[in-house]
Amino acid sequence: MSFRTSPALEWARAGGPPSDVDYVEDVSPGSGALPPRAWYATSDAKALSLNGSWRLRVSATIDAEDDAFAEEGYDAGDWAEVQVPGHWVLQGHGSPIYTNHLYPFPVDPPHVPTENPTGDHLRVFDLPEGWPADGGAVVRFDGVESCARVWLNGTDIGEFKGSRLPHEFAVGHLLKPKGNVLAVRVHQWSAGSYLEDQDQWWLPGIFRDVTLLHRPAGSVLDFFVHADYDHVTGEGTLRVDSDVDGRVTVPALDIDVATGEPVTVAVQPWNAETPRLYDGELVTGGERVPLRIGFRTIVLEDGLIKVNGRAILFKGVNRHEWHPEKGRALDLETMREDVLLMKRHNLNAVRTSHYPPHPAFLDLCDEYGLWVIDECDLETHGFTEQDWRDNPVDDDRWTPALLDRAARMVERDKNHPSIVFWSLGNEAGTGRGLTAMAEWIHGRDSSRLVHYEGDWNCRDTDVYSRMYANHAEVERIGQELDGGTHKRRQLPFIQCEYGHAMGNGPGGLADYQALFDGYDRLQGGFIWEWIDHGITHPELGYAYGGDFGEELHDGNFVCDGLIFPDRTPSPGLVEYKKVIEPVRIEGDGADGTVRVTNKYDFADLSALAFEWSYQVEGETVESGSLSVPALNPGETAEVKLPEPPADHRGAETQWTVRALLAQDSSWGPMGHVVAWGQFPVAARPVPSVSATDAPVPGERQITLGPASFDARTGALRSVGGVSVEGLRLDVWRATTDNDEGAEWQTDTRYGVLWRALGLHRMQHRLDAVELSDDALTVRTRVSPAAREVGLATVYRWTSDGDKLKLTVSVAPEGDWTVPLPRLGIRLGLAEADAVEWFGGGPGEAYPDTRTASIVGRWRSTVDSLQTPYVRPQENGARADVRWAEIGGLRIEGDPEFWFTARRWTTEQLDAATHRTDLTPGETVWVNLDHGQHGIGSQSCGPGPLPQYHLKAESAQFSFVFSTGR
């Protein structure tokens, strides 16, 4: 085949580079670059990495310096040194800027400010020994933000835009054995910046690899691997089209054919669960290129996305490229770490928001198995501020640049079997430019589908895609009651963004997954997003928007990931792993039956081993293996558990069944837990205290059993020698990002209403301290200043001489129109560190984020109970706690309770903006909560579902305190 280019590329190459600096504001994609082509990491042709130490000079404007630096012999000895790949603002030269969608410069397309930081980069290099004298050479830039002009040995070879796309320049005629001078002028702002408003840090620099490639005579130019699979016959058809004639060999399949010639053989197909790749080679007269071939067929059939004949369910995540020190300059091992974390947490799909990733990441997706939506380097979100007026995607002048970006994505990545969708971009409105992109992509690659969320009428796309649709709307869509165009009603639905993982959360994932499982049309979704984009900061821990003095910024909205900046999984990722686990394990503890369902799309269960364990009071007393058939996808089997171990009457007991990797896999070790289920056998006995002791009044204190109280206020002072401080009703939590919601939302934002109502500054009025023969009763009213609403609260204390029981009764007064953040008691303990509890764990949980909470006996320190969100907020609650021991005190609950302990008060947590604001005190503050309000994902999505609201209504709950078992 001959290379297929777009009209935009021909147009862009028609003339030379614009004069002076006009190219910065030119809407064209650039000039001088070679046509885009398939990317491959290695071949037998020589290559020289130009990564490493470069010289850098940063100027405040684009015309502050002349071009003399590009000439041979220029003395840059006094320039700074920076690492490439890298961003100069993360290496001590200027500052990063974070905005979600607002452009940090005036919106006057295609113009940019005169104050335009410009980095002149210099790299002097010698050709290595043995570099061939014949043939040509190209220099390849895999990513430069946002506009670059390039010289080699004083010759201007071109300029380009499209920050996250590759650009190659022919330089063979300019090379010399020693002293080659590669000069690159990089501008932070350009016309291209209007197309790259992608909810991330604005970080200029050469942030991906720079490579010199020898191009021998007869070397590979462009090639397209077509590897289809027929699920009926089990055969794959391979055809490799190449601009240069050659041969294709695949030893494992006994294939040796000419390029362009199809061959059909029996194969094992590629899919995200069993990613079978065949090693092959493309051989031309001048080069040998390794191939990794995966056979699969993607179709839109019966209104569903099908791969290899089966409908698939995306259990995915949106992934920005990020490293807390290096920004978007990721190395291979960091990318591999991301993929392994995804696989170990049951994810099967990635949307490359909002640009094509480093191509090595796609190699890893091929190797380990992840479905990919490859997204174009395009977003014009800031134009929403002017109702999309002057939006480049609906302006014909910009269409060549849009087509160039589409072509550079498709041509670079077309040989990756993991890619099932090409995405036109993100949040760019609608317009003729997007239609032109879709038409070009459909014409170039009919083997994949086209995605774009902003096209609600599905004019240009092959899927109905939305972001942050709430549960009720998603269900209507599943029921095909959503209306829309006839074409849209015939298409499958995905949530390309949902479950906004900002701070504590996201909540409601299990409820979404139940909908995805329940309706065929709903083919899953992608959590927003993978990683918090915190920047390592010596004083703040991790910095976010506004921490670098930005005029405009969007605060910690850039920290909305399932993993923390250091790539530690958040509780949200642990929850998501449980929600999307590929094996459903249900059981009836009473009759010892386990029901196992294979939720994979392709794989059977032969790679898994199953084990059971039996817990008494949270401690495993016996365990063993469980024989489960190698079920095919969708199949269910019922399996009998063994007889329970010895009778444990009067104790709480339960079964736990786990599915584990039976052997080491490419992404996880033998024994890695893939899925689990837990079901009770015998319920726990409710803690009780016989009220045998009478309170004994004194001048300053009242004693009751092992406890002492303040005689005037009735406040608890100690239990069995353990000092207790400030025990009282508590309804406030340090608001989460999801409590606060987003300013643009019209739905109720309860965090805002709570603060307006004054729930963060409740006042406690003492009404009465009453002594009777069997109880100490303290009556109070808890209410906010300036409001009539309140909570009539009664504390009733009783004792049997050894234990102390508190029964709290709460009755709302006035017109409560909002739910409560929490409802329980708070108390302070001194010298508390070790914590042990019987209940949900090991990590935090809240009403709509508790799926991953497994009941057991857990141990921790107070510090380890904390979840280190980049912006401090409510965190660390453990669910379904039966009892907890801390600071010498044992606390039992009736009913089960939520347990939290920290070395600072809720008020201090609420006031903190960074982790470093939290200074541990001598007192550990413990919350024992009867209820917690749900979490939701209202930092960008919907709030918690009504069933997770903590209504202000009458409640009664009890705790039993003791200092020994």
Side-chain angles (χ1 to χ4, degrees), residues 76-207:
D78 60 345
W79 288 19
E81 290 190 43
V82 293
Q83 289 297 306
V84 170
H87 307 277
W88 71 69
V89 295
L90 296 183
Q91 299 185 63
H93 308 280
S95 298
I97 299 170
Y98 169 62
T99 59
N100 167 30
H101 77 281
L102 296 174
Y103 289 106
F105 48 80
V107 181
D108 183 22
H111 304 298
V112 294
T114 299
E115 296 176 356
N116 186 356
T118 296
D120 289 335
H121 297 71
L122 274 178
R123 175 76 152 84
V124 179
F125 65 93
D126 300 333
L127 295 180
E129 291 293 330
W131 188 272
D134 61 335
V138 300
V139 61
R140 183 177 68 209
F141 296 89
D142 282 315
V144 182
E145 183 176 333
S146 72
C147 173
R149 191 166 188 171
V150 186
W151 295 261
L152 182 61
N153 293 330
T155 299
D156 186 346
I157 58 176
E159 45 84 22
F160 62 91
K161 307 178 191 76
S163 298
R164 284 152 279 277
L165 295 161
H167 295 82
E168 292 183 327
F169 296 87
V171 296
H173 60 295
L174 300 173
L175 288 173
K176 56 186 184 178
K178 293 186 179 298
N180 294 282
V181 178
L182 180 60
V184 186
R185 172 164 285 170
V186 180
H187 307 283
Q188 174 154 22
W189 311 122
S190 69
S193 301
Y194 284 99
L195 305 180
E196 297 172 3
D197 187 20
Q198 295 152 319
D199 184 14
Q200 59 181 338
W201 293 97
W202 300 87
L203 298 173
I206 305 171
F207 67 94

Side-chain angles (χ1 to χ4, degrees), residues 484-511:
T485 63
H486 175 75
K487 178 183 178 183
R488 190 179 91 181
R489 293 196 303 274
Q490 308 306 308
L491 294 179
F493 173 81
I494 63 171
Q495 283 253 63
C496 70
E497 295 180 20
Y498 81 109
H500 198 248
M502 184 175 176
N504 187 333
L509 296 185
D511 307 274

Side-chain angles (χ1 to χ4, degrees), residues 155 159 164 192 268 476 504 577 624 712 775 829 844 858 870:
T155 299
E159 45 84 22
R164 284 152 279 277
Q268 296 175 5
R476 288 195 299 272
N504 187 333
K577 174 188 177 181
R712 183 179 62 85
L829 297 173
E844 76 178 24
W858 307 104
V870 173

Side-chain angles (χ1 to χ4, degrees), residues 481-760:
L481 299 176
D482 55 304
T485 63
H486 175 75
K487 178 183 178 183
R488 190 179 91 181
R489 293 196 303 274
Q490 308 306 308
L491 294 179
F493 173 81
I494 63 171
Q495 283 253 63
C496 70
E497 295 180 20
Y498 81 109
H500 198 248
M502 184 175 176
N504 187 333
L509 296 185
D511 307 274
Y512 272 119
Q513 197 63 35
L515 296 172
F516 297 156
D517 288 338
Y519 297 97
D520 289 344
R521 187 189 183 193
L522 308 180
Q523 292 197 251
F526 298 78
I527 298 298
W528 185 268
E529 64 158 308
W530 177 238
I531 187 169
D532 286 342
H533 300 200
I535 294 177
T536 301
H537 192 284
E539 298 172 1
L540 302 175
Y542 290 113
Y544 50 75
D547 289 333
F548 297 96
E550 303 102 304
E551 291 181 345
L552 293 175
H553 66 86
D554 286 286
N556 67 311
F557 201 71
V558 76
C559 295
D560 46 13
L562 290 172
I563 60 175
F564 297 125
D566 64 359
R567 285 181 158 72
T568 300
S570 75
L573 181 58
V574 176
E575 172 79 356
Y576 194 38
K577 174 188 177 181
K578 173 61 179 171
V579 165
I580 61 176
E581 60 189 8
V583 182
R584 180 181 295 160
I585 302 172
E586 302 164 303
D588 185 334
D591 68 4
T593 300
V594 178
R595 187 167 57 257
V596 178
T597 302
N598 182 351
K599 301 291 291 181
Y600 284 112
D601 292 325
F602 295 93
D604 64 22
L605 300 187
S606 59
L608 301 180
F610 290 79
E611 68 175 25
W612 60 266
S613 60
Y614 189 77
Q615 287 82 40
V616 177
E617 294 293 322
E619 294 277 22
T620 295
V621 296
E622 197 167 336
S623 62
S625 62
L626 187 67
S627 179
V628 175
L631 302 170
N632 289 319
E635 290 184 344
T636 297
E638 290 194 350
V639 181
K640 291 294 289 184
L641 289 164
E643 288 297 316
D647 187 5
H648 295 279
R649 292 183 182 178
E652 180 176 357
T653 56
Q654 61 219 158
W655 294 101
T656 304
V657 175
R658 293 178 173 87
L660 320 168
L661 286 181
Q663 302 292 334
D664 290 346
S665 76
S666 64
W667 52 264
M670 182 175 68
H672 168 78
V673 178
V674 173
W676 60 268
Q678 189 177 64
F679 20 95
V681 179
R684 73 179 183 119
V686 175
S688 62
V689 172
S690 298
T692 59
D693 278 28
V696 178
E699 182 178 350
R700 294 188 177 182
Q701 72 176 27
I702 301 169
T703 58
L704 176 60
S708 65
F709 300 81
D710 183 278
R712 183 179 62 85
T713 64
L716 179 66
R717 290 290 179 250
S718 67
V719 179
V722 176
S723 296
V724 178
E725 177 183 350
L727 187 150
R728 64 184 187 179
L729 190 78
D730 193 14
V731 299
W732 181 246
R733 71 185 188 194
T735 51
T736 69
D737 293 314
N738 288 307
D739 289 337
E740 294 289 347
E743 292 182 0
W744 63 82
Q745 291 175 329
T746 58
D747 293 345
T748 301
R749 297 161 56 204
Y750 285 116
V752 177
L753 294 183
W754 292 339
R755 209 175 291 273
L757 185 60
L759 299 188
H760 60 306

Side-chain angles (χ1 to χ4, degrees), residues 178-238:
K178 293 186 179 298
N180 294 282
V181 178
L182 180 60
V184 186
R185 172 164 285 170
V186 180
H187 307 283
Q188 174 154 22
W189 311 122
S190 69
S193 301
Y194 284 99
L195 305 180
E196 297 172 3
D197 187 20
Q198 295 152 319
D199 184 14
Q200 59 181 338
W201 293 97
W202 300 87
L203 298 173
I206 305 171
F207 67 94
R208 286 186 186 159
D209 306 291
V210 183
T211 311
L212 182 70
L213 302 168
H214 180 237
R215 308 310 298 140
S219 60
V220 173
L221 294 180
D222 189 33
F223 64 96
F224 198 160
V225 177
H226 304 273
D228 300 324
Y229 178 71
D230 186 329
H231 67 277
V232 176
T233 66
E235 294 178 320
T237 299
L238 176 66

